[in-house]
């Protein structure tokens, strides 16, 4: 995402505002890894996943196309961790083909060219090596009124709502496509190619229209957060669409603050009000065919 490469992008704010993943989820991923010499974390961002898996491997490399993100990662020094610029479609030249035991991609696989991504990961993994990627989509509030306001600001255009403004007031049109739609579907349109991988497993956690889990089975990738409205505001400010909108219209007002104020007005919240957010998730694991 180009906005994350902007030198003015606040990587520390991004790191603080983003959800993290349960330890039990990492345990499930690690249980599928045959050897633990080298792990590569794609789209590493500020290193959330990279640092979490590093203790389990001889060496771990985080890659990201954003130099800004890589600089943030390098502020923390860990002996067996290295950060390099690279993409999901082209690994850095320092990583040899057929050398990687685990490739991870947390909350970034929807942006990839998927045909190139699956081929490149197959090229870089050892025979039997593990590919693991996962996504969480929009947070779901407990009250459907809040969900309707959220959807309006993140998926719709103000020009369809006859607000009277001569500029786009919502962030939906500022998301890069088709990545945003792929996130909304949890990447159902891009299955792992069976000719390259085996033991393919996809696990979803979904909610129904009453904000209840649609399946009785649990998932290790459960992200349910009890936070404040202030935390939610900072989370919105970490979005790529927010930064794109602010580049165009930030001289008018702050769209994240306008979004949050509308939520507070409709729901009777303040910035200190505790709220619960439940994220729909998907994770996929597979092994490279020899």
């Amino acid at each position: 995402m180009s906005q994350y490469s902007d030198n003015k992008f606040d990587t520390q704010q991004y790191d603080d505002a983003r959800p993290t993943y349960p330890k039990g989820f990492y345990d499930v991923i690690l249980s599928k890894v045959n050897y633990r010499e080298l792990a590569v974390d794609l789209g590493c961002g500020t290193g959330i996943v990279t640092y979490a898996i590093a203790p389990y491997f001889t060496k771990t490399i985080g890659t990201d196309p954003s130099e800004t993100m890589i600089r943030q990662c390098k502020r923390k020094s860990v002996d067996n961790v290295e950060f390099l610029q690279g993409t999901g479609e082209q690994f850095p030249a320092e990583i040899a083909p057929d050398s990687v035991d685990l490739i991870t991609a947390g909350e970034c696989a929807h942006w990839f060219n998927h045909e190139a991504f699956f081929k490149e990961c197959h090229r870089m993994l050892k025979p039997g090596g593990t590919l693991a990627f996962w996504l969480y989509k929009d947070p779901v509030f407990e009250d459907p009124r809040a969900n309707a306001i959220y959807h309006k600001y993140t998926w719709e255009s103000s020009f369809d709502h006859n607000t009277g403004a001569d500029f786009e007031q919502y962030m939906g049109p500022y998301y890069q496509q088709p990545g945003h739609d792929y996130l909304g579907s949890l990447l159902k349109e891009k299955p792992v190619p069976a000719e390259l991988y085996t033991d393919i497993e996809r696990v979803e956690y979904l909610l129904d229209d009453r904000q209840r889990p649609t399946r009785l089975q649990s998932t290790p990738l459960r992200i349910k957060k009890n936070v404040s409205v202030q935390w939610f505001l900072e989370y919105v400010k970490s979005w790529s669409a927010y930064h794109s909108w602010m580049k165009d219209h930030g001289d008018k007002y702050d769209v994240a603050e306008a979004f949050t104020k509308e939520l507070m007005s409709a729901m009777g919240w303040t910035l200190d009000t505790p709220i619960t957010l439940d994220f729909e998730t998907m994770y996929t694991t597979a092994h490279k065919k020899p």
Side-chain angles (χ1 to χ4, degrees), residues 103-131:
I103 295 172
T104 57
E107 195 64 8
C108 60
H110 52 302
W111 302 124
F112 297 156
N113 175 315
H114 298 96
E115 181 180 2
F117 161 64
F118 288 126
K119 287 181 178 178
E120 179 71 346
C121 289
H122 184 270
R123 185 174 77 90
M124 304 306 288
L125 284 167
K126 293 176 181 176
T130 305
L131 171 64

Side-chain angles (χ1 to χ4, degrees), residues 9-207:
F9 184 78
D10 188 343
T11 53
Q12 187 59 58
Q13 188 272 340
Y14 175 96
D15 200 15
D16 294 340
R18 285 283 163 150
T20 54
Y21 310 111
K23 181 182 181 301
F25 171 64
Y26 288 117
D27 290 340
V28 169
I29 298 301
L30 291 167
S31 72
K32 300 176 182 293
V33 179
N34 295 317
Y35 302 99
R36 297 190 180 182
E37 294 177 3
L38 176 61
V40 174
D41 178 34
L42 303 177
C44 66
T46 55
I48 292 171
V49 176
T50 316
Y51 290 121
I53 63 176
Y56 304 96
F57 291 86
T58 303
K59 184 172 184 177
T60 300
I61 298 174
T63 76
D64 199 281
S66 167
E67 182 182 357
T68 305
M69 290 295 195
I70 295 297
R71 282 202 308 268
Q72 169 71 8
C73 293
K74 289 182 176 180
R75 293 176 185 175
K76 180 179 179 180
S77 177
V78 177
D79 287 344
N80 69 327
V81 175
E82 183 178 6
F83 292 98
L84 301 168
Q85 277 190 270
T87 68
E89 300 87 356
Q90 184 172 358
F91 283 39
E94 292 90 336
I95 304 174
D98 299 306
S99 69
V100 184
D101 298 297
L102 171 66
I103 295 172
T104 57
E107 195 64 8
C108 60
H110 52 302
W111 302 124
F112 297 156
N113 175 315
H114 298 96
E115 181 180 2
F117 161 64
F118 288 126
K119 287 181 178 178
E120 179 71 346
C121 289
H122 184 270
R123 185 174 77 90
M124 304 306 288
L125 284 167
K126 293 176 181 176
T130 305
L131 171 64
F133 59 94
W134 59 91
L135 299 171
Y136 59 85
K137 56 187 292 189
D138 301 316
V140 178
F141 297 87
E142 293 180 306
D143 193 309
R145 294 175 297 167
N147 291 322
I149 295 170
Y150 183 99
H151 191 275
K152 181 176 70 174
Y153 272 89
T154 58
W155 288 93
E156 300 175 17
S157 168
S158 62
F159 294 117
D160 296 329
H161 285 258
N162 299 316
T163 62
D166 62 355
F167 65 96
E168 178 59 65
Q169 294 182 289
Y170 303 152
M171 290 174 281
Y174 280 87
Y175 278 103
Q176 181 178 316
Q177 293 289 16
H180 193 219
D181 284 345
Y182 288 151
L183 181 65
S185 69
L186 292 174
L187 213 53
K188 282 184 177 178
E189 303 90 339
K190 299 295 180 179
V192 178
E195 66 270 21
L196 298 179
Y197 297 89
T198 187
D199 303 322
I200 301 167
E201 181 180 14
R202 176 186 170 97
V203 178
E204 297 176 343
Y205 172 75
L206 302 175
L207 300 167

